[in-house]
Amino acid sequence: DQQVKQNSPSLSVQEGRISILNCDYTNSMFDYFLWYKKYPAEGPTFLISISSIKDKNEDGRFTVFLNKSAKHLSLHIVPSQPGDSAVYFCAASSTSGTYKYIFGTGTRLKVLA
Amino acid sequence: KAGVTQTPRYLIKTRGQQVTLSCSPISGHRSVSWYQQTPGQGLQFLFEYFSETQRNKGNFPGRFSGRQFSNSRSEMNVSTLELGDSALYLCASSLEAGYQPQHFGDGTRLSIL
């Protein structure tokens, strides 16, 4: 049972444009969500998070949107840069439950120069 | 501040052997989680330790075990290795439970021949 889903395995975007990565979840107990970026041969790097009391969180070029009713979150990268090319994972956890993080399968973003 | 350190980075074993992987969390972090990453499967949660106690466990067979020491360092052991155990094993640490991002090491690449 995949509780966190990233339905797009890959995405290509032109440099300077917006990248939108999507993530859906099924467990309504999840209340903390994160995005990670992963380069080959390195561990995932934390990018940005959002708790369920918010619907938007911004950090520089990265913005995460949360739609609780749709159980959907998205990561916007504006403007996209070639260095953003990586695999992006979303993750979710329930802070009142088991504290474990459930990860999606990842989306490979390629930013074209 | 030193990040999460995993040793060794690469390991080659044969079927039937056992292996121990090590993880040193960021100083002050008490929660350590282990994940298995295989192509197309994302990060599969193995287990999480907090203050030397296993607090969460994923859906892996009993051949996978772990422990945490009083200094928060953690080890993961896999016995009777199978070909399907070939994967990148990632360790992540965080300060406490709740609204805390996990910080990952660069992983141990385990290859089973």
Side-chain angles (χ1 to χ4, degrees):
Chain A
D1 176 27
Q2 191 70 27
Q3 296 186 64
V4 178
K5 298 178 186 178
Q6 293 177 258
N7 292 318
S8 298
S10 63
L11 175 69
S12 291
V13 172
Q14 285 294 130
E15 182 180 5
R17 306 295 292 268
I18 183 172
S19 295
I20 300 176
L21 297 103
N22 294 304
C23 180
D24 297 295
Y25 62 96
T26 57
N27 190 336
S28 57
M29 295 298 292
F30 289 150
D31 58 359
Y32 183 55
F33 305 88
L34 311 92
W35 284 95
Y36 286 84
K37 176 170 73 173
K38 187 180 185 300
Y39 294 119
E42 294 183 12
T45 302
F46 169 70
L47 273 176
I48 192 168
S49 64
I50 188 167
S51 71
S52 59
I53 61 172
K54 293 185 173 183
D55 54 19
K56 176 183 173 181
N57 189 26
E58 217 170 329
D59 185 0
R61 296 185 299 114
F62 301 93
T63 303
V64 56
F65 294 91
L66 176 63
N67 182 334
K68 290 184 288 293
S69 60
K71 294 191 180 69
H72 176 84
L73 66 155
S74 60
L75 175 68
H76 293 208
I77 306 173
V78 184
S80 301
Q81 299 172 354
D84 296 329
S85 296
V87 177
Y88 289 77
F89 292 97
C90 66
S93 75
S94 168
T95 58
S96 61
T98 60
Y99 307 114
K100 69 180 182 183
Y101 296 79
I102 306 297
F103 282 77
T105 52
T107 296
R108 183 176 301 278
L109 173 67
K110 189 171 184 179
V111 180
L112 307 168
Chain B
K1 193 175 186 182
V4 177
T5 303
Q6 291 187 247
T7 57
R9 287 297 310 277
Y10 302 93
L11 206 47
I12 299 175
K13 291 285 187 178
T14 56
R15 280 182 300 172
Q17 287 187 308
Q18 75 165 19
V19 67
T20 299
L21 312 181
S22 180
C23 172
S24 293
I26 292 173
S27 177
H29 285 193
R30 292 201 290 161
S31 171
V32 174
S33 297
W34 289 88
Y35 296 86
Q36 181 195 66
Q37 187 188 13
T38 52
Q41 292 295 315
L43 277 68
Q44 302 291 311
F45 174 77
L46 280 155
F47 26 66
E48 185 238 352
Y49 287 87
F50 183 81
S51 294
E52 301 178 66
T53 301
Q54 186 183 86
R55 191 162 58 175
N56 291 294
K57 193 176 190 307
N59 296 323
F60 279 81
R63 300 185 296 108
F64 291 81
S65 63
R67 59 178 176 168
Q68 187 181 33
F69 302 95
S70 58
N71 61 358
S72 292
R73 191 177 72 84
S74 178
E75 287 182 348
M76 190 191 100
N77 185 274
V78 188
S79 61
T80 320
L81 286 165
E82 300 176 358
L83 292 177
D85 296 334
S86 294
L88 179 67
Y89 290 88
L90 291 160
C91 167
S93 73
S94 62
L95 272 170
E96 296 280 353
Y99 297 101
Q100 298 285 342
Q102 291 183 317
H103 299 272
F104 283 82
D106 287 337
T108 295
R109 171 74 62 188
L110 175 62
S111 298
I112 310 302
L113 303 179

